Structures are given as structure tokens and as C-alpha cells.
């Protein structure tokens, strides 16, 4: 299964995973030469150019970089570039800190640990407050128990 994973946020990026292995990855600022670029359109285009087969799913962490009125346009771009049906485009914007925690934990080498996430541009809740600090107890295979959240 081939998945296009897209981070549209500070430090935007795009990655093609083929059966769990990285096939291609681009960080947006490396393509556009704009530090901490937020919209990963150039990265998406680059990974799709280098993709070695059909993409089955698109996972998008849109976070706060896509303005609500522009979401439809963003999904249309994802659909047209990837040729993935709309129902196979999955958004997980409310778990920004959990995404950071997952990357930290799965790259840590520990079987169980505390994960601290400090991010001034965390997940938005009801477009009112942003999560800025989170602490999780993480353990294999996929347990992330939140023990602290500051907004």
C-alpha cells in the first residue's frame, strides 16, 4: 500500500510511504527556500513526481495553515495531484501534538516513556484556543495516554 502523507503546518513536508517504508520525502523549505514554509504544495508535487506507483491513500495533517474557506480548494488539489478518490483522503488536524509525540516516541528506542511536546502552534480547539504544551505516557504498540495539556 502506498500512502502520501502531508504535513501542512510550520515545517511543512510530504512523504510517500510504500508498505511502511519511506519511498520519497521532501521538506517544503528545502524546495521553496522559505524558512518554516507552511503550505506543502511544492513538496507534494515533488514526491508525486518521484513516486514509483499508484497512491492508495492521502493522510493530511492540515493543522492551522489551511484557512477553513480554502479547505475545499486544498482537497481538490490533493485529489488532482494524487489521483486518489476523495474518500481516501483522510484529515487528522485535531491531533497535532499527538503527531509530534508519535514521532518522538517511535524514534526514541524506548518501550515506554514520557513524551513532552511544547509547540506554540498546537492543535486548535473550536477555533478558540490552541494546545501549546502536552505530556503523554507512551508505550508500545500504540498507547499515548495524555497526562497534561496546557492551552
Amino acid at each position: 500500500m502506498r500512502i502520501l502523507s502531508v504535513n501542512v503546518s510550520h515545517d511543512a513536508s510530504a512523504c510517500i510511504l510504500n508498505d511502511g517504508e519511506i519511498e520519497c520525502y521532501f521538506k517544503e523549505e528545502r524546495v521553496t527556500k522559505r524558512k518554516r514554509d507552511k503550505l506543502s504544495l511544492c513538496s507534494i508535487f515533488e514526491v508525486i513526481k518521484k513516486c514509483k506507483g499508484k497512491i492508495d491513500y492521502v493522510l493530511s495533517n492540515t493543522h492551522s495553515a489551511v484557512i477553513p474557506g480554502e479547505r475545499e480548494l486544498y482537497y481538490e488539489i490533493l485529489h488532482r495531484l494524487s489521483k486518489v478518490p476523495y474518500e481516501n483522503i483522510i484529515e487528522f488536524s485535531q491531533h497535532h501534538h499527538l503527531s509530534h509525540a508519535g514521532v518522538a516516541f517511535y524514534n526514541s528506542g524506548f518501550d515506554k516513556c514520557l513524551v513532552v511536546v511544547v509547540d506554540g502552534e498546537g492543535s486548535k480547539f473550536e477555533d478558540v484556543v490552541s494546545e501549546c504544551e502536552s505530556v503523554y505516557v507512551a508505550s508500545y504498540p500504540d498507547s499515548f495516554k495524555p497526562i497534561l495539556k496546557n492551552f
Side-chain angles (χ1 to χ4, degrees):
M1 177 185 311
R2 191 170 274 114
I3 299 169
L4 167 61
S5 180
V6 180
N7 176 35
V8 181
S9 175
H10 57 87
D11 297 324
S13 59
C15 179
I16 300 275
L17 292 170
N18 186 7
D19 294 330
E21 299 291 323
I22 295 174
E23 185 174 297
C24 186
Y25 169 83
F26 277 91
K27 189 169 179 181
E28 189 71 7
E29 71 179 34
R30 297 292 186 198
V31 180
T32 64
K33 307 299 185 211
R34 287 190 301 262
K35 186 87 172 144
R36 297 179 60 84
D37 206 346
K38 290 186 174 202
L39 201 56
S40 55
L41 294 176
C42 294
S43 296
I44 293 167
F45 184 73
E46 290 298 325
V47 296
I48 288 174
K49 267 191 343 189
K50 295 197 180 296
C51 185
K52 298 176 176 133
K54 176 182 162 281
I55 298 170
D56 300 299
Y57 288 92
V58 175
L59 301 178
S60 177
N61 183 358
T62 59
H63 187 45
S64 59
V66 177
I67 299 166
E70 295 176 352
R71 260 192 213 314
E72 293 78 22
L73 176 60
Y74 172 69
Y75 282 102
E76 184 65 26
I77 291 167
L78 283 177
H79 167 70
R80 288 186 183 197
L81 287 176
S82 67
K83 299 180 177 71
V84 169
Y86 288 106
E87 60 269 14
N88 289 3
I89 300 174
I90 302 164
E91 178 182 13
F92 54 101
S93 62
Q94 289 301 314
H95 303 289
H96 184 77
H97 277 210
L98 187 56
S99 298
H100 282 306
V103 169
F105 172 64
Y106 290 120
N107 286 294
S108 72
F110 294 111
D111 292 329
K112 184 175 182 179
C113 68
L114 281 178
V115 179
V116 178
V117 178
V118 179
D119 179 2
E121 292 190 42
S123 302
K124 294 255 189 237
F125 292 93
E126 299 179 16
D127 293 326
V128 178
V129 296
S130 292
E131 182 177 7
C132 58
E133 301 167 345
S134 304
V135 179
Y136 298 89
V137 175
S139 62
Y140 273 96
D142 57 4
S143 176
F144 289 86
K145 179 183 172 195
I147 59 172
L148 173 75
K149 289 189 178 277
N150 282 330
F151 299 91

